[in-house]
């Protein structure tokens, strides 16, 4: 309490106005005498409380045990520490009734420290504020009881300082709450930061074996289990959030937010070998973005959020292997069309081989498709598109012609021309494998 003695305004009529009817107000010096008497009564009772502070402390600790379940557990676990804390807080509070100026700063520091300490220990804020109000009630009750015992006629004077006592209690409740919330924010930031560090190390494959139990507990994921990592990126935050929701729905998942890519560590069920239905709408196999001469990924399925690109890696066993799963998810993400879509790596393993070794992919394109570089660009594009469409139609010239709006013989003539220019044979399995991989590498490179 800053000042127990308050100035009070005395009503005075305006100049020339008629006097107000009724009794005249008491003179100012009479009110001051009443305030001085109230302070004298307050100080006398407060000194008695201060001298009998251990008993007051016992009473407050007992009240906390009886009325506040959260404190009941704290008192049971460490009664000496609770008693000392209550005793110290009451001593500063009662001393502030006697000497507000001399005791104010120490009382504030005491309350702040209690709020910070209890936040670190996880005591609910409501329980802490309840404890301070119980303490204020007990002190006020003690002042009245002591005054009734020694000078009953002076009890009426305590009414004049009641507001100051309760303002003091309110001030310190605010202090405690401010300290509690500040420490709570700091603790939350530390927990979040520690969680990010643990998850980041896991995704980078840099986690120590000794850290895995802590990481599993922090991420609320079992150390042993089958996991898939999902990589999501999008230009619009809402699109990224939609893709994250679509791929994590119904599963235990931890999302690690990165600068450009978000990674989801997804726990698979016992009967799951991978994430199915990543397109959010059934089997829905679409063509994705298509380049001339490159077969479209068969599961580049647009997710619920159009601009999001999503790569789903293959399953791994245990949290220790999540770093490998993240690298596989990155490969799948690199294969996604720039316009948006979702790629499951298990459906594009040959293409993944090319993406994961770009130098070899470039060499393969030069070896298998390089001889076409001497043609006119339009002529080269027609041959490559025909070749890619024929492969996508499982080697059917009839179906390829229907897709390309030309006769099947035209398709066969173009394929024979490719064989003549490159020296490759489309009837030889080894050549077909190389041609298919070369077309994939070229398509990924020209996206």
């Amino acid at each position: 309490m800053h000042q127990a003695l308050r100035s009070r305004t005395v009503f005075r009529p305006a100049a020339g106005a008629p006097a107000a009817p009724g009794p005249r107000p008491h003179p100012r010096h009479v009110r001051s005498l009443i305030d001085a008497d109230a302070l004298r009564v307050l100080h006398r009772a407060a000194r008695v409380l201060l001298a009998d502070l251990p008993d007051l402390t016992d009473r407050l600790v007992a009240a906390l045990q009886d009325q506040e379940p959260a404190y009941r557990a704290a008192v049971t676990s460490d009664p000496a520490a609770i008693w000392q804390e209550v005793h110290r807080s009451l001593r500063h509070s009662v001393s502030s009734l006697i000497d507000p100026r001399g005791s104010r700063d120490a009382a504030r520091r005491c309350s702040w420290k209690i709020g910070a300490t209890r936040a670190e220990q996880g005591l609910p804020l409501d329980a802490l504020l309840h404890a301070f109000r119980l303490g204020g009630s007990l002190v006020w009750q003690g002042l009245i009881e002591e005054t009734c015992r020694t000078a009953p006629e002076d009890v009426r004077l305590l009414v004049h300082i009641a507001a100051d006592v309760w303002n003091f209690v309110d001030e310190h409740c605010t202090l405690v709450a401010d300290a509690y919330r500040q420490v709570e924010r700091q603790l939350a930031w530390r927990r979040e930061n520690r969680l990010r560090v643990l998850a980041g190390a896991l995704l980078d494959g840099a986690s120590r074996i000794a850290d895995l139990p802590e990481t599993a507990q922090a991420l609320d994921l079992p150390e042993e289990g089958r996991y898939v990592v999902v990589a999501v990126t999008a230009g619009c935050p809402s699109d990224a959030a939609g893709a994250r929701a679509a791929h994590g729905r119904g599963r235990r998942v931890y999302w690690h937010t990165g600068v450009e890519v978000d990674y989801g560590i997804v726990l698979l069920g016992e009967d799951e070998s991978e994430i199915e239905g990543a397109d959010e709408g059934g089997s829905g196999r679409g063509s994705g973005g298509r380049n001339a001469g490159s077969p479209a990924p068969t599961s580049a399925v647009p997710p619920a959020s159009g601009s999001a690109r999503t790569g789903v890696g293959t399953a791994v066993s245990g949290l220790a292997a999540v770093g490998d799963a993240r690298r596989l998810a990155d490969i799948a993400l690199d294969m996604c069309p720039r316009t948006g879509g979702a790629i499951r790596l298990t459906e594009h393993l040959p293409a993944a081989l090319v993406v994961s070794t770009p130098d070899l992919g470039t060499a393969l394109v030069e070896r298998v498709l390089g001889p076409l570089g001497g043609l006119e660009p339009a002529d080269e594009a027609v041959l490559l598109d025909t070749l890619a469409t024929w492969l996508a139609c499982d080697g059917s010239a009839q179906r390829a012609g229907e897709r390309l709006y030309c006769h099947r013989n035209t398709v066969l003539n173009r394929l024979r021309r490719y064989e003549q220019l490159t020296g490759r044979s489309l009837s030889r399995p080894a050549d077909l494998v190389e041609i298919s991989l070369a077309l994939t590498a070229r398509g990924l490179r020209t996206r």
Side-chain angles (χ1 to χ4, degrees):
M1 112 190 68
H2 306 293
Q3 290 183 348
L5 185 60
R6 299 179 177 181
S7 61
R8 290 171 171 79
T9 303
V10 179
F11 171 79
R12 292 185 176 87
R24 297 176 60 188
H26 292 293
R28 188 179 186 85
H29 72 276
V30 174
R31 179 64 64 191
S32 298
L33 288 176
I34 293 175
D35 288 339
D37 287 341
L39 285 176
R40 175 180 53 79
V41 172
L42 172 67
H43 292 167
R44 182 180 62 202
R47 289 190 184 95
V48 174
L49 292 184
L50 197 59
D52 199 20
L53 200 57
D55 179 65
L56 189 64
T57 302
D58 289 339
R59 291 168 59 189
L60 181 51
V61 170
L64 289 174
Q65 284 184 289
D66 181 57
Q67 300 183 38
E68 186 49 65
Y71 260 97
R72 190 179 306 144
V75 171
T76 302
S77 62
D78 196 352
I82 295 295
W83 195 94
Q84 289 295 336
E85 178 184 282
V86 171
H87 183 271
R88 185 166 55 252
S89 179
L90 287 174
R91 175 166 55 82
H92 285 297
S93 298
V94 177
S95 297
S96 295
L97 297 177
I98 301 171
D99 181 15
R101 290 185 179 181
S103 303
R104 178 177 181 271
D105 289 341
R108 289 171 63 88
R109 286 194 298 271
C110 177
S111 295
W112 184 275
K113 183 177 180 180
I114 291 173
T117 300
R118 289 304 172 191
E120 291 176 351
Q121 295 172 348
L123 185 80
L125 178 57
D126 288 345
L128 186 57
L129 294 177
H130 186 203
F132 266 75
R133 293 189 180 101
L134 277 177
S137 297
L138 195 60
V139 169
W140 179 246
Q141 182 182 350
L143 293 173
I144 294 176
E145 290 175 352
E146 177 57 28
T147 304
C148 285
R149 186 180 66 83
T150 58
E153 68 281 1
D154 290 339
V155 172
R156 59 183 178 81
L157 294 173
L158 291 178
V159 174
H160 297 280
I161 50 87
D164 296 307
V165 172
W166 289 107
N167 285 341
F168 176 88
V169 174
D170 287 342
E171 176 192 1
H172 283 258
C173 283
T174 301
L175 272 174
V176 165
D178 288 345
Y180 189 100
R181 293 189 180 103
Q182 178 175 315
V183 171
E184 194 174 41
R185 286 192 296 270
Q186 292 172 350
L187 292 174
W189 180 86
R190 290 174 191 166
R191 285 192 296 268
E192 182 179 350
N193 190 57
R194 178 60 176 164
L195 193 60
R196 284 188 56 81
V197 168
L198 291 172
L202 196 66
L203 289 163
D204 288 341
S207 289
R208 300 179 303 173
I209 297 299
D211 290 336
L212 287 179
E214 179 187 359
T215 303
Q217 182 178 12
L219 272 58
D220 192 25
L221 294 170
E223 189 174 345
E224 300 298 332
R226 291 188 60 75
Y227 289 96
V228 161
V229 170
V230 178
V232 175
T233 184
C236 175
S238 62
D239 285 352
R244 285 170 48 157
H247 289 83
R249 186 175 294 120
R251 295 180 176 90
R252 290 173 63 182
V253 56
Y254 172 81
W255 285 99
H256 180 78
T257 304
V259 177
E260 296 180 353
V261 180
D262 296 345
Y263 293 102
I265 304 173
V266 184
L267 176 66
L268 297 176
E270 294 181 358
D271 57 344
E272 292 181 296
S273 60
E274 62 173 318
I275 292 182
E276 299 292 345
D279 48 59
E280 171 75 345
S283 60
R285 295 180 180 271
S287 61
R290 183 169 230 196
N291 295 293
S294 62
T298 57
S299 66
V301 184
S305 302
S307 72
R309 298 170 55 242
T310 304
V312 183
T314 56
V316 297
S317 296
L319 282 179
V322 163
D324 296 331
R326 192 270 303 169
R327 285 187 285 274
L328 295 172
D330 281 340
I331 292 173
L333 184 64
D334 288 340
M335 296 165 60
C336 283
R338 297 301 170 189
T339 54
I343 290 290
R344 287 189 291 273
L345 192 64
T346 52
E347 299 178 359
H348 302 282
L349 293 177
L353 293 174
V354 178
V355 173
S356 60
T357 53
D359 292 340
L360 293 179
T362 300
L364 186 63
V365 170
E366 293 299 322
R367 174 182 169 84
V368 177
L369 305 178
L372 302 182
L375 301 176
E376 291 293 329
D379 197 12
E380 179 189 16
V382 168
L383 287 184
L384 290 175
D385 194 30
T386 301
L387 189 59
T389 304
W390 179 75
L391 288 172
C393 292
D394 298 325
S396 171
Q398 180 68 37
R399 283 190 290 154
E402 292 173 357
R403 286 194 183 185
L404 295 171
Y405 302 103
C406 64
H407 195 273
R408 65 180 296 276
N409 290 338
T410 303
V411 173
L412 293 174
N413 289 333
R414 292 173 183 175
L415 295 179
R416 278 193 294 269
R417 188 179 178 206
Y418 167 79
E419 290 178 320
Q420 293 169 357
L421 290 171
T422 62
R424 302 268 165 179
S425 173
L426 296 177
S427 61
R428 189 161 52 234
D431 285 354
L432 276 177
V433 170
E434 288 189 354
I435 293 169
S436 178
L437 289 175
L439 287 171
T440 300
R442 184 181 182 277
L444 293 172
R445 188 178 63 181
T446 56
R447 277 182 182 173

